[in-house]
Amino acid sequence: MEKLSRDTHIWAFDSQMQPVITVDPGTTLEIETWDCFTGQVQSESDTLEKLDINRVNSATGPIAVRGAEPGDSLSVTLIDIRPNEQGAGMVIPEWGQLVHKAKSPTTRIFKVKDGIIHMNERVSWPTRPMFGVIGVAPASGSIPTFAADRHGGNMDDNQNGIGATIHLPVFQPGGQLAIGDMHASMGDGEISGTGVEIGGTATIKVDLIKGKAGGWPITETADSWITHGTTASSIDEALQLACEEAAKLLVDEWGFTIEDAFIFLSVAGDLGIAQYCHPSPGSVIAKMRVPKTKATPSPFRL
Ligand code: CA
Ligand code: ZN
């Protein structure tokens, strides 16, 4: 199996970035990822103001997939995600819906053992491992791993977990996949700006769908298609974009009329929030879950 160390990483998704490895479609890889703080948070006295914020959100890669061309989808399946034994969550100054209630910046260390996260002696719950950052080289420019856009990036969708396949729109030859920002668990919205931030390893498989791509990454789970919409700041706009993207799939790929798509999403779809930690300078990411049915069997009509 091909392996990539956590020290083979990027800090921005650059349209010109070059791969550290090139693999065929169908290849399985083992990748190691840093926690989003790159190991700078080891104890509860390590609060955000003590950190070098230039070393936040590394993503392991880039991985080029042979034959990937603009207009294709680079499909990455997260076969397994194995968090390390210690993670961290935070109250970050001026971030999040409850920050005005918090008395001080706070770091909480979590222990992770045998699939259980321990916050303190009273509070523990099962892991839901996922990746916050997953993306490819964008159409142009350089987008920090802190942001989310059509190329993916800091999508912070907790559905990007074990068993999910993320269909990423390819903008550059080879696609140039990179993945990081593992969370042992993260709630919808990630309201304080962190999940259980943790390093670890993952087994992934890359594939290609030729000549078809969504406007944003589309997450496939056992029973759902999840579309996304991202903006710099407006949750209304992000929700609108995720709805339009889901409707576009229903109409273009699955033969619905726009009216039936609208009604189907209303009666059977789930509109939700992937990432909305405001105030903060971060992106807003909405998601729409479209159930898999006989009429919606595969992401694209091939
Ligand atoms: Ca994140
Ligand atoms: Zn994170």
Side-chain angles (χ1 to χ4, degrees), residues 8-22:
T8 305
H9 60 237
I10 58 167
W11 301 102
F13 287 91
D14 191 296
S15 57
Q16 302 300 315
M17 65 187 183
Q18 295 300 309
V20 293
I21 188 170
T22 300

Side-chain angles (χ1 to χ4, degrees), residues 18 38-39 42 47 85 91 93 96 150 156 163 190 199 211 220 258 264 268 295:
Q18 295 300 309
T38 325
Q42 293 297 328
T47 48
E85 291 186 345
V91 173
R150 290 178 178 272
D156 278 330
E190 198 192 35
E220 176 178 0
I258 184 63
F264 179 64

Side-chain angles (χ1 to χ4, degrees), residues 220-262:
E220 176 178 0
T221 66
D223 62 2
S224 308
W225 307 102
I226 300 157
T227 64
H228 296 95
T230 60
T231 69
S233 60
S234 160
I235 190 64
D236 277 351
E237 192 182 341
L239 292 165
Q240 178 78 29
L241 291 168
C243 290
E244 289 179 5
E245 174 83 343
K248 186 171 191 310
L249 281 185
L250 288 162
V251 171
D252 290 356
E253 308 296 338
W254 297 319
F256 283 59
T257 64
I258 184 63
E259 295 78 16
D260 275 348
F262 189 9

Side-chain angles (χ1 to χ4, degrees), residues 6 20 57 62-63 69 93 112-113 116 147 151 171 209 215 232 241 249 277 285 287 289:
R6 65 186 182 180
V20 293
N57 260 16
I63 301 163
E69 294 293 336
V112 179
K113 197 160 192 300
I116 303 290
H151 71 296
F171 298 102
I209 299 174
L241 291 168
L249 281 185
C277 169
I285 301 125
K287 54 186 175 181
R289 189 188 79 85

Side-chain angles (χ1 to χ4, degrees), residues 101-249:
K101 303 273 191 190
K103 295 184 182 65
S104 61
T106 302
T107 294
R108 194 60 69 225
I109 295 290
F110 301 86
K111 297 292 181 187
V112 179
K113 197 160 192 300
D114 300 328
I116 303 290
I117 301 166
H118 301 272
M119 184 168 185
N120 55 39
E121 281 173 14
R122 257 180 354 107
V123 181
S124 58
W125 68 98
T127 57
R128 291 190 293 165
M130 52 147 302
F131 282 111
V133 173
I134 187 157
V136 292
S140 63
S142 188
I143 304 176
T145 50
F146 177 70
D149 209 321
R150 290 178 178 272
H151 71 296
N154 194 13
M155 300 293 290
D156 278 330
D157 184 347
N158 56 19
Q159 297 305 297
N160 291 339
I162 295 170
T165 299
I166 299 101
H167 303 285
L168 295 147
V170 172
F171 298 102
Q172 303 294 340
Q176 315 297 344
L177 172 70
I179 298 177
D181 186 27
M182 185 187 289
H183 301 144
S185 127
M186 187 201 97
D188 282 345
E190 198 192 35
I191 64 167
S192 86
T194 74
V196 175
E197 306 294 337
I198 200 161
T201 55
T203 308
I204 66 169
K205 184 175 177 221
V206 294
D207 238 314
L208 280 184
I209 299 174
K210 294 299 291 179
K212 286 281 186 176
W216 279 268
I218 297 168
T219 298
E220 176 178 0
T221 66
D223 62 2
S224 308
W225 307 102
I226 300 157
T227 64
H228 296 95
T230 60
T231 69
S233 60
S234 160
I235 190 64
D236 277 351
E237 192 182 341
L239 292 165
Q240 178 78 29
L241 291 168
C243 290
E244 289 179 5
E245 174 83 343
K248 186 171 191 310
L249 281 185

